[in-house]
């Protein structure tokens, strides 16, 4: 595992903001020579600290008008019920995140839809039709003052 010292923390912070910056720019920002910076980034990648790079998409440009977090409770707490629910969600494009949680619900979903009618259709015709789903609690996002994924 790579050592996460202050310089590596700085590298990770900068790459989290812009994973496409050149090694030369990154080295300048963190105060290293380009070769030393590249060695550190490669070690962070090799050790799995940096798992990958991705594009940050603009939801509005993709037609996403509603983001909601949904708490889902299952009526059966078996492994088969959980696997069935998780497998069903793999085929649902509106579900962009699915987290198995502790507490009063089994799952927390992040859902993106075009608009309120599309969300209602997803809620009733997709999520509401899945076996073992006994409760659905929706939290529609009004704004995101802090989102490190953006």
């Amino acid at each position: 595992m790579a050592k996460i010292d202050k310089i590596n923390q700085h590298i990770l912070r900068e790459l989290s903001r812009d994973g496409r910056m050149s090694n030369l720019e990154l080295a300048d920002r963190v105060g290293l020579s380009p070769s030393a910076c590249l060695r550190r980034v490669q070690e962070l990648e090799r050790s799995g600290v940096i798992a990958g790079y991705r594009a940050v998409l603009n939801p509005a440009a993709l037609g996403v008008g509603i983001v909601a977090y949904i708490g889902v409770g299952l009526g059966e707490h078996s492994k088969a019920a959980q696997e069935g629910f998780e497998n069903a969600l793999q085929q649902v494009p509106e579900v962009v995140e699915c987290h198995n949680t502790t507490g009063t619900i089994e799952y927390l979903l992040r859902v993106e839809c075009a608009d309120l009618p599309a969300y209602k259709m997803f809620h009733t015709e997709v999520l509401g039709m899945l076996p073992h789903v006994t409760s659905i609690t929706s939290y529609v996002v009004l704004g995101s003052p802090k989102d490190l994924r953006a």
Side-chain angles (χ1 to χ4, degrees):
M1 188 164 116
K3 180 182 173 193
I4 308 298
D5 58 14
K6 289 205 182 276
I7 294 172
N8 280 354
Q9 286 175 355
H10 196 182
I11 289 170
L12 294 172
R13 194 168 40 253
E14 293 297 331
L15 287 176
S16 293
R17 290 185 187 126
D18 180 4
R20 290 187 61 165
M21 79 172 68
S22 70
N23 182 62
L24 193 61
E25 184 179 350
L26 179 61
D28 185 54
R29 287 188 187 188
V30 300
L32 290 175
S33 70
S35 60
C37 184
L38 183 59
R39 278 194 301 275
R40 283 178 175 259
V41 170
Q42 288 172 334
E43 178 56 28
L44 290 165
E45 291 170 342
R46 200 171 14 265
S47 67
V49 173
I50 296 175
Y53 300 88
R54 64 183 69 186
V56 177
L57 308 178
N58 178 345
L62 295 170
V64 174
I66 291 201
V67 175
Y69 287 88
I70 304 172
V72 177
L74 301 183
E76 186 178 311
H77 302 284
S78 67
K79 182 177 181 179
Q82 289 185 349
E83 287 177 349
F85 179 78
E86 292 170 11
N87 288 337
L89 292 185
Q90 296 301 322
Q91 309 307 315
V92 180
E94 294 89 350
V95 178
V96 295
E97 292 180 31
C98 174
H99 306 279
N100 187 219
T101 63
T102 63
T104 59
I105 59 170
E106 281 70 47
Y107 290 93
L108 181 65
L109 310 179
R110 183 169 180 269
V111 173
E112 296 179 347
C113 294
D115 52 25
L116 198 53
Y119 176 75
K120 182 179 181 185
M121 188 172 91
F122 163 78
H123 185 279
T124 56
E125 296 181 25
V126 177
L127 198 54
M129 300 299 290
L130 292 177
H132 309 296
V133 171
T134 57
S135 68
I136 301 171
T137 305
S138 300
Y139 303 93
V140 175
V141 175
L142 300 176
S144 300
K146 181 176 181 179
D147 185 347
L148 296 179
R149 294 170 296 127

